[in-house]
Amino acid sequence: MSSNEKIIIKFYTAFANADAVTMCECYDSNIQFRDPAFGLLKGNDVFQMWKMLMEKSKGTIKIEYSDVKANEYIGTAHWIATYNFSKTNRKVINRIQSQFQFKDGLIIKHTDDFDIWNWSKQAFGFTGQLLGWTGFFQKKIQQQALASLQKYKETKHVN
């Protein structure tokens, strides 16, 4: 097992244990994270996003990961998050493919890909099924996610 595979496993083990601090230790301070819900986040915003998501889940999120592969420069993993979406309390089972880039033994770039329409159908029910495929609705999801992160940072007095 490569050292970068070990860092991915450390990240997802911490995620499964709702340990945002250890998750963030796996990242370089200049981390770039991208997913369909938040778009592109950099540096401290990535750390705060994970802390916010762990606090909101109150330990109820279930994380399963598999197919961890990495070499000196890049890596991948599959993972499944099962949780109740906080805004609607609807159960979501999200299947995610992650890609990583590494620098000096830490993750410098993390990209999560998932089917945002499938996610929105689960999270928002009929409304998500009807509108979740549209760019308008997807932009609204991203705006809400970023607003939630901004509010969290203000509440925690983080810049």
Side-chain angles (χ1 to χ4, degrees):
M1 181 180 306
S2 75
S3 61
N4 287 335
E5 286 172 327
K6 288 178 184 173
I7 201 86
I8 294 172
I9 289 169
K10 178 181 176 181
F11 178 87
Y12 286 112
T13 300
F15 198 172
N17 292 323
D19 181 356
V21 172
T22 301
M23 290 171 69
C24 295
E25 290 172 358
C26 298
Y27 284 145
D28 184 270
S29 61
N30 294 315
I31 181 68
Q32 289 187 21
F33 174 87
R34 180 184 300 273
D35 83 347
F38 285 91
L40 177 64
L41 297 175
K42 296 179 180 180
N44 192 51
D45 282 351
V46 180
F47 305 144
Q48 297 308 314
M49 174 202 62
W50 289 123
K51 290 175 183 175
M52 175 186 77
L53 292 175
M54 293 301 97
E55 284 180 26
K56 280 187 171 188
S57 76
K58 297 178 182 146
T60 62
I61 191 168
K62 180 182 172 194
I63 302 298
E64 301 169 84
Y65 64 92
S66 62
D67 298 325
V68 172
K69 296 181 179 94
N71 62 28
E72 189 178 344
Y73 306 103
I74 59 172
T76 60
H78 294 283
W79 59 286
I80 301 170
T82 305
Y83 60 96
N84 287 346
F85 180 57
S86 60
K87 287 200 181 306
T88 61
N89 203 34
R90 294 176 60 90
K91 185 177 182 176
V92 172
I93 301 172
N94 199 12
R95 299 175 195 291
I96 301 140
Q97 172 66 40
S98 293
Q99 296 178 345
F100 303 93
Q101 290 181 14
F102 303 96
K103 178 183 171 192
D104 301 326
L106 295 172
I107 302 165
I108 186 77
K109 192 172 183 184
H110 177 176
T111 303
D112 280 349
D113 289 313
F114 59 87
D115 183 336
I116 191 75
W117 186 25
N118 188 48
W119 177 88
S120 65
K121 287 187 275 188
Q122 294 176 76
F124 293 101
F126 182 71
T127 302
Q129 184 167 350
L130 197 62
L131 300 173
W133 63 273
T134 65
F136 170 80
F137 197 78
Q138 292 173 15
K139 189 170 181 72
K140 280 299 227 190
I141 290 169
Q142 197 171 95
Q143 287 171 343
Q144 288 180 355
L146 292 172
S148 183
L149 178 57
Q150 184 59 38
K151 183 178 178 185
Y152 175 82
K153 288 173 18 181
E154 289 168 2
T155 303
K156 299 294 179 180
H157 307 291
V158 175
N159 292 325

